[in-house]
Amino acid sequence: MSTTTTTARQELTRVTGTITSSDVPGCLLLDAQIRQYQLVGDRAAGLQPGTRMTVTGLADPNTPGACGNSIPLTVDEAVPAEE
């Protein structure tokens, strides 16, 4: 599930998925089934792989992610996903 609001070049996005680590050192991803988001910013630092989270932040689909085929998402808020 994702919700997107466009703000200039970046998009405010709320997306639910599972936190995963990448083969690239330091890359943290949110696997949202149809898309992968590279989680960046100070608030991404405490997220643990294997947890299911709903993340809100600014996505920049026009900038390639450093972790393979991912969209950079600067985390504003992350809460455990409702089942």
Side-chain angles (χ1 to χ4, degrees), residues 7-29:
T7 58
R9 210 177 119 202
Q10 294 183 327
E11 299 175 345
L12 183 61
T13 300
R14 177 176 291 131
V15 63
T16 299
T18 303
I19 307 294
T20 62
S21 56
S22 169
D23 293 337
V24 179
C27 283
L28 195 61
L29 301 170

Side-chain angles (χ1 to χ4, degrees), residues 50-79:
T51 57
R52 188 159 167 77
M53 304 290 288
T54 297
V55 178
T56 303
L58 288 176
D60 190 353
N62 298 316
T63 301
C67 303
N69 191 19
S70 60
I71 298 170
L73 176 64
T74 303
V75 177
D76 183 50
E77 179 183 51
V79 296

Side-chain angles (χ1 to χ4, degrees), residues 29-40:
L29 301 170
L30 180 70
D31 184 354
Q33 295 181 346
I34 59 170
R35 289 190 179 148
Q36 280 194 330
Y37 293 88
Q38 176 189 346
L39 303 175
V40 296

